Amino acid sequence: MEPAPIIALVVEGTGEISAVPLLLRRLAHDMFGCWSARFLRPSRYGRGQLTTTGGIERIIERTVVLNPDATGVLVMLDADDDCPAALAPRLLDRARRARPDRRLSVVLRTPRGPHPTIGQCRARFPTQVDDHLAAETRPASAIVSLRTG
């Protein structure tokens, strides 16, 4: 039997500190029948701290050092004005290069309202959206859902 996962959490907003662990516990149970997964108390960092050069790398390293038993790290932040289909893979790649020994995920929350399509992201961020994401009818938020390595 595989040991229960222990997930360290990194969030952007103060509201997520109490909400995210509860939401993830419910999802783990409802989707997978798993009550044994542990979601540690989130660490909160501002968007600028996560997205600046070297930022997510330092935060992932600090999170792993402070939570050595964690089997993975989940980073959650708002997409704001960035295209989630472009930003999430970049942040995930940077995080994985910093700590290839951990399972890492980056999830971006899109703004309220209709989710942008890849075509809309391309129109706004033409140099940032890779051709392999070209599913014009899929919302960008579907592409950057929880990704683990």
Side-chain angles (χ1 to χ4, degrees):
M1 177 187 262
E2 226 176 282
I6 303 170
I7 310 299
L9 303 169
V10 174
V11 298
E12 178 185 12
T14 55
E16 286 104 359
I17 291 174
S18 60
V20 168
L22 177 61
L23 173 66
L24 293 175
R25 276 193 290 279
R26 286 185 176 175
L27 284 173
H29 176 261
D30 292 349
M31 294 178 71
F32 306 108
C34 176
W35 279 115
S36 58
R38 288 184 43 215
F39 299 97
L40 304 176
R41 179 172 169 77
S43 299
R44 183 178 169 269
Y45 294 93
R47 178 183 177 72
Q49 292 174 289
L50 288 159
T51 58
T52 58
T53 303
I56 196 166
E57 296 85 350
R58 283 188 297 276
I59 290 167
I60 292 294
E61 183 63 34
R62 177 181 288 161
T63 301
V64 169
V65 167
L66 293 174
N67 302 284
D69 295 333
T71 55
V73 179
L74 172 63
V75 178
M76 299 179 74
L77 67 149
D78 294 337
D80 288 343
D81 290 332
D82 289 307
C83 177
L87 182 58
R90 281 198 325 264
L91 290 175
L92 181 61
D93 181 58
R94 289 172 46 197
R96 284 182 173 163
R97 279 189 271 124
R99 286 308 296 240
D101 61 321
R102 292 290 199 264
R103 295 187 74 152
L104 304 169
S105 296
V106 173
V107 176
L108 293 178
R109 187 179 73 84
T110 56
R112 290 187 177 148
H115 297 292
T117 64
I118 295 298
Q120 291 167 328
C121 285
R122 274 208 179 95
R124 198 154 170 223
F125 306 97
T127 60
Q128 296 179 8
V129 180
D130 296 329
D131 288 338
H132 71 275
L133 297 175
E136 295 296 328
T137 59
R138 288 172 55 191
S141 58
I143 295 170
V144 290
S145 61
L146 185 65
R147 299 174 66 160
T148 58

